[in-house]
Amino acid sequence: MKKLRKILRILLFGFVGLCFVSLVWDKADRTLAVREKVFDQESVQYPIRKSDVTLYTDGQEFYDRLLDDIANAKQYIHISFFSIADDTVSHRFEELLKKKSKEGVEVYYAVDRLGGVLLKEQDKQALLKAGVHFTYYNKLDFPYFFSSLEHRNHKRISVIDGTIGYAGGFNIGKKYLGKNEKLGSWRDYHLRIQGEGVQDLEQEFELDWVKNDRETVWKTHTSTEKGTTELRFKAYSGKDLAYDYANLFHQAQKSITILSPYFIPNNKVIWHALIDAEKRGVEINILWSPESDAPLVKQAAYPYIRKALKHGMHVYGYRDGILHGKVLVIDERVAMVGSANLDSRSIHLNKELNCYIYDTAFIKQVLNKKVHEDFQRSQQIHSPYVNNLPLQEKLKERLAKLVEYYL
């Protein structure tokens, strides 16, 4: 018994010591990273372009079209996702990339290092053996281990033969097709682009690839043909996102519609702009997903939902599974579809890519129809929902508050 107590004491002291060392290291590497501006990167705003745009909100439809475009590629495929699963859907995707590479198509494929944690080493080696150029984005780095861990590449970019591009919220895996029994149906927003806007997706992919792999990306040309919808891509890296959203909110005259799976806007600039808009008589509707594939994000949203309700904003909770789309609509004259959530990670840390759309016809006839469907599948949230929480939820909310910056 004495021996057991001794072992337990050693383990306890070891655990406490490890925690202390980790905290000291964490503080030191973050301080040094900020001082040396290791992760500082300016946002990239591309010109306004005219392209033909198709919106996908159903995972199966998106996946079928993406795989069909990849299957028809003749010259090159440049593709990156935040995360990849280890299931039949992801394996089918990887098999197609290998097949196209063996056919002589130049395939470049990247996934975020943390988001790609489920990619098996044997599957990665099979891709490389088939001739696929593969890399992880934002690899963990020393001595900035904790800082590199928190800075993720959250973009999704696909470019095929320089004529077709994709950007939005879907990743690769069966849960995005609504085939995960635990999570249920999955709703997302993803754009398919044809026309001159593809060249900006291509440039953004190249910037990320070279930064992470140092290898030159092979390509021939990208489309300069004009389409019908005016849009602009902007890439973020923990800067400017809050100010761009605030500027849009300040411009609103009638309505602001926000769709975000996570509602954790820990940013004074955004809140000042929203509250100012509400005081001007702008109707603000916020749609958020109580169900999520991430822990504590529901509880982290409670304080911000209370704040929104207190200031006269309308908040809705999605009821039909998981809503993962990231959308803004301002007065039906400008909209955003992208990868950035309305949370601390996207505002302060992640690399994100948003598409701003300046086409009233597209917003009214295409985007708003899907947004309206999602509000129809939702329930309005009132104060009792967040003020009369069970004890377990209150405890989770307190825990979530401690770590919300990293959720």
Side-chain angles (χ1 to χ4, degrees):
M1 196 67 182
K2 288 182 178 179
K3 189 175 182 180
L4 178 60
R5 285 199 296 266
K6 184 178 180 181
I7 291 172
L8 290 174
R9 280 199 302 270
I10 292 172
L11 290 175
L12 177 60
F13 284 126
F15 176 73
V16 172
L18 181 62
C19 290
F20 177 76
V21 170
S22 297
L23 287 171
V24 173
W25 181 10
D26 175 49
K27 179 65 175 178
D29 98 35
R30 291 172 195 267
T31 301
L32 186 60
V34 171
R35 189 179 70 188
E36 299 296 326
K37 300 182 179 180
V38 175
F39 298 98
D40 280 11
Q41 187 174 329
E42 295 301 319
S43 301
V44 180
Q45 179 168 281
Y46 293 96
I48 292 178
R49 310 282 195 186
K50 298 194 74 173
S51 301
D52 293 325
V53 181
T54 305
L55 173 66
Y56 290 93
T57 56
D58 176 78
Q60 190 65 61
E61 292 178 0
F62 159 74
Y63 194 59
D64 289 345
R65 189 57 191 265
L66 174 65
L67 290 192
D68 185 61
D69 286 336
I70 291 173
N72 291 320
K74 304 298 182 185
Q75 296 176 313
Y76 68 89
I77 299 163
H78 297 164
I79 193 162
S80 65
F81 285 96
F82 169 66
S83 68
I84 184 80
D86 180 23
D87 56 27
T88 54
V89 172
S90 57
H91 295 159
R92 181 187 171 200
F93 169 73
E94 291 160 9
E95 287 300 317
L96 181 57
L97 294 184
K98 289 188 284 186
K99 178 177 182 291
K100 296 306 295 184
S101 181
K102 291 176 180 178
E103 290 175 1
V105 175
E106 291 288 338
V107 181
Y108 291 76
Y109 171 44
V111 64
D112 179 81
R113 188 61 189 92
L114 197 60
V117 70
L118 295 180
L119 179 64
K120 294 178 180 176
E121 179 63 22
Q122 65 192 50
D123 293 332
K124 186 188 84 170
Q125 292 302 323
L127 287 164
L128 294 170
K129 186 177 180 180
V132 174
H133 305 264
F134 176 83
T135 193
Y136 286 112
Y137 284 167
N138 288 27
K139 304 177 186 74
L140 302 185
D141 190 22
F142 292 91
Y144 309 106
F145 175 78
F146 290 101
S147 295
S148 63
L149 183 66
E150 68 186 24
H151 286 82
R152 309 313 326 148
N153 190 318
H154 198 237
K155 305 172 194 173
R156 292 89 158 143
I157 299 174
S158 302
V159 178
I160 298 155
D161 287 343
T163 59
I164 299 169
Y166 287 86
F170 278 114
N171 287 301
I172 298 295
K174 69 179 184 180
K175 73 178 181 181
Y176 301 100
L177 277 62
K179 294 183 178 180
N180 184 303
E181 294 180 4
K182 184 178 179 180
L183 298 176
S185 64
W186 189 281
R187 180 78 158 184
D188 222 318
Y189 284 70
H190 213 100
L191 301 175
R192 182 179 185 268
I193 309 293
Q194 286 184 285
E196 61 178 359
V198 176
Q199 61 190 298
D200 302 326
L201 289 173
E202 178 65 71
Q203 182 174 334
E204 192 59 28
F205 179 89
E206 290 179 26
L207 288 172
D208 282 339
W209 185 276
V210 172
K211 180 176 177 59
N212 287 272
D213 194 83
R214 311 289 183 190
E215 176 190 15
T216 301
V217 178
W218 186 92
K219 66 175 184 179
T220 52
H221 69 282
T222 51
S223 176
T224 57
E225 294 183 9
K226 292 187 180 296
T228 57
T229 300
E230 282 195 344
L231 56 82
R232 182 203 298 272
F233 286 103
K234 187 164 183 178
Y236 300 92
S237 184
K239 288 185 176 182
D240 297 337
L241 183 68
Y243 295 99
D244 284 356
Y245 284 8
N247 285 337
L248 289 174
F249 300 156
H250 283 307
Q251 294 169 22
Q253 298 176 4
K254 296 180 180 178
S255 64
I256 296 171
T257 302
I258 299 170
L259 274 67
S260 180
Y262 321 127
F263 186 63
I264 319 172
N266 182 6
N267 185 275
K268 292 180 180 179
V269 172
I270 287 177
W271 275 110
H272 288 163
L274 283 173
I275 293 170
D276 178 68
E278 195 280 330
K279 288 179 178 177
R280 297 196 314 270
V282 175
E283 181 179 340
I284 301 174
N285 293 302
I286 300 164
L287 179 54
W288 146 84
S289 184
E291 298 298 322
S292 176
D293 59 335
L296 295 179
V297 292
K298 175 182 180 180
Q299 292 77 19
Y302 291 152
Y304 299 102
I305 292 174
R306 292 188 194 101
K307 187 172 182 177
L309 294 175
K310 177 183 176 182
H311 288 282
M313 304 173 201
H314 307 289
V315 182
Y316 297 80
Y318 191 70
R319 295 185 301 176
D320 191 20
I322 290 179
L323 172 70
H324 194 248
K326 308 91 165 59
V327 179
L328 298 179
V329 182
I330 313 296
D331 292 341
E332 293 189 326
R333 60 180 179 77
V334 60
M336 184 285 298
V337 176
S339 69
N341 300 305
L342 201 61
D343 65 4
S344 295
R345 291 206 57 83
S346 290
I347 294 169
H348 302 291
L349 297 170
N350 286 346
K351 295 180 184 298
E352 305 283 1
L353 182 69
N354 285 352
C355 180
Y356 295 90
I357 299 169
Y358 307 96
D359 188 290
T360 301
F362 179 87
I363 294 170
K364 286 184 177 181
Q365 297 168 17
V366 179
L367 182 59
N368 267 2
K369 285 185 178 181
K370 298 296 184 181
V371 170
H372 179 71
E373 289 175 6
D374 288 338
F375 274 93
Q376 291 295 107
R377 297 176 178 138
S378 304
Q379 182 174 3
Q380 188 166 3
I381 303 296
H382 299 287
S383 294
Y385 179 92
V386 286
N387 290 336
N388 302 320
L389 296 171
L391 178 60
Q392 185 178 8
E393 285 294 281
K394 290 179 180 178
L395 293 174
K396 286 183 178 180
E397 180 183 342
R398 290 187 180 184
L399 177 59
K401 189 64 180 177
L402 296 174
V403 297
E404 70 171 24
Y405 188 78
Y406 305 105
L407 294 177

